[in-house]
Amino acid sequence: AGKATQLSDLERESKQKQLDEQELANIPYSALDYSSFANIMSESISVLSKTISVKDDLNKMIIDDIIKKWVIEGIEYHEDDHGKCKFCDSPFSSSRWTQLKSYFNDESKELRKHSTILNEKLTRIIQEAEKHFNQQKTDFYISNQSDYLQLYEKWDKKRDNFVKYIKDLLDVLHINETKETEILTFNFNPSILDNLSDTEKEIEILIQNNNSKTVSLREDKASIQREI
């Protein structure tokens, strides 16, 4: 009680404001796995340089990529019974089946399977990046809100560039599914990951500081309660 009488009105008002300040919940945070992202991107680009060896160039017979994809699916459908076409009932000559199988062989199948897996992984990367950092301004203390908005704007631009890069890589992988005898290229740009990671670290520090303020605010309130 004696200490309370020593506080000026101005000091008392300031401390009361501290008591009235709302304690915010800790902001959950987990970093994106940039090392895994880099490995998947590198592996995807590596697949583009792989080609299959064929005895008969089916490109002379099937020019259109859509038709080629349809033929791939058709071969899988006729794998156990290729005496006749299951779509039109026309007889399937053994020479034609051998020609198709020589092109769309196990090597081709494994390459397409690998590409499909990488497609799924790249799609998940996009999903993870797009949903990362969904905090609202009001999740932060007023003193940190301006910094968060500025950092999020920077993050948003770099994330958009990153997502576009991954989508472009996906487009080339899709082309690779019907261009198995051709070497395709895509420029691996590690800086696009580094830029995103650097901005994330800045936001991480801000989140840590914001969470720390909740602890210190609680301690300050306990101390002020003893003073007034």
Side-chain angles (χ1 to χ4, degrees), residues 2-39:
K3 286 186 178 181
T5 59
Q6 296 175 9
L7 294 174
S8 67
D9 291 341
L10 188 61
E11 288 173 329
R12 187 178 295 278
E13 182 182 353
S14 174
K15 291 183 181 297
Q16 187 60 51
K17 284 183 178 178
Q18 286 180 270
L19 286 174
D20 293 339
E21 187 170 3
Q22 180 186 359
E23 293 178 26
L24 298 178
N26 279 348
I27 299 172
Y29 168 77
S30 60
L32 293 174
D33 191 348
Y34 291 97
S35 176
S36 173
F37 287 4
N39 289 338

Side-chain angles (χ1 to χ4, degrees), residues 48 65 170-180 182 184:
L48 298 176
D65 289 341
L170 275 169
D171 287 342
V172 179
L173 271 179
H174 287 312
I175 293 173
N176 188 56
E177 291 176 2
T178 53
K179 300 286 186 183
E180 297 167 310
E182 299 177 23
L184 301 177

Side-chain angles (χ1 to χ4, degrees), residues 69-87:
K69 193 170 184 179
W70 180 83
V71 171
I72 292 172
E73 294 172 355
I75 289 177
E76 294 174 353
Y77 186 56
H78 289 80
E79 194 73 51
D80 297 326
D81 180 10
H82 46 267
K84 65 177 181 178
C85 178
K86 295 180 181 179
F87 300 110

Side-chain angles (χ1 to χ4, degrees), residues 10 24 64 73 99 102-103 129 136 169 172-173 178 196 214:
L10 188 61
L24 298 178
D64 190 279
E73 294 172 355
Q99 183 186 31
S102 71
Y103 190 91
Q136 302 299 312
L169 177 53
V172 179
L173 271 179
T178 53
L196 198 65
T214 295

Side-chain angles (χ1 to χ4, degrees), residues 51-222:
T51 60
I52 61 169
S53 55
V54 295
K55 296 178 181 177
D56 291 309
D57 186 4
L58 203 65
N59 287 316
K60 295 175 181 177
M61 185 176 72
I62 303 175
I63 305 298
D64 190 279
D65 289 341
I66 296 176
I67 295 177
K68 187 179 291 185
K69 193 170 184 179
W70 180 83
V71 171
I72 292 172
E73 294 172 355
I75 289 177
E76 294 174 353
Y77 186 56
H78 289 80
E79 194 73 51
D80 297 326
D81 180 10
H82 46 267
K84 65 177 181 178
C85 178
K86 295 180 181 179
F87 300 110
C88 65
D89 283 336
S90 297
F92 229 140
S93 68
S94 59
S95 60
R96 176 53 54 87
W97 180 255
T98 301
Q99 183 186 31
L100 290 170
K101 288 291 290 181
S102 71
Y103 190 91
F104 300 109
N105 51 27
D106 289 341
E107 184 184 3
S108 170
K109 187 183 295 184
E110 284 302 311
L111 186 58
R112 290 197 305 275
K113 182 180 178 181
H114 195 182
S115 294
T116 298
I117 292 172
L118 290 170
N119 270 306
E120 293 171 354
K121 289 182 177 181
L122 289 171
T123 299
R124 282 198 295 271
I125 287 177
I126 291 175
Q127 292 169 346
E128 288 181 35
E130 289 182 333
K131 70 180 182 182
H132 204 50
F133 290 134
N134 58 356
Q135 289 83 9
Q136 302 299 312
K137 180 182 74 171
T138 51
D139 293 330
F140 290 82
Y141 289 103
I142 292 175
S143 57
N144 292 329
Q145 288 179 0
S146 177
D147 288 341
Y148 176 67
L149 291 177
Q150 290 178 20
L151 284 173
Y152 186 82
E153 183 179 3
K154 183 162 71 168
W155 160 267
D156 201 37
K157 290 179 181 177
K158 292 183 178 180
R159 179 186 57 191
D160 285 348
N161 289 336
F162 173 71
V163 168
K164 182 182 182 303
Y165 178 86
I166 298 298
K167 286 182 177 179
D168 288 344
L169 177 53
L170 275 169
D171 287 342
V172 179
L173 271 179
H174 287 312
I175 293 173
N176 188 56
E177 291 176 2
T178 53
K179 300 286 186 183
E180 297 167 310
T181 59
E182 299 177 23
I183 295 178
L184 301 177
T185 59
F186 191 87
N187 179 42
F188 181 54
N189 183 8
S191 66
I192 203 163
L193 265 178
D194 294 338
N195 290 338
L196 198 65
S197 176
D198 289 344
T199 305
E200 174 167 347
K201 289 174 183 176
E202 292 183 74
I203 298 179
E204 178 187 3
I205 291 171
L206 185 64
I207 289 176
Q208 290 173 346
N209 291 339
N210 200 80
N211 291 345
S212 295
K213 182 170 181 178
T214 295
V215 177
S216 62
L217 182 61
R218 191 175 299 126
E219 293 172 349
D220 289 345
K221 284 185 176 184

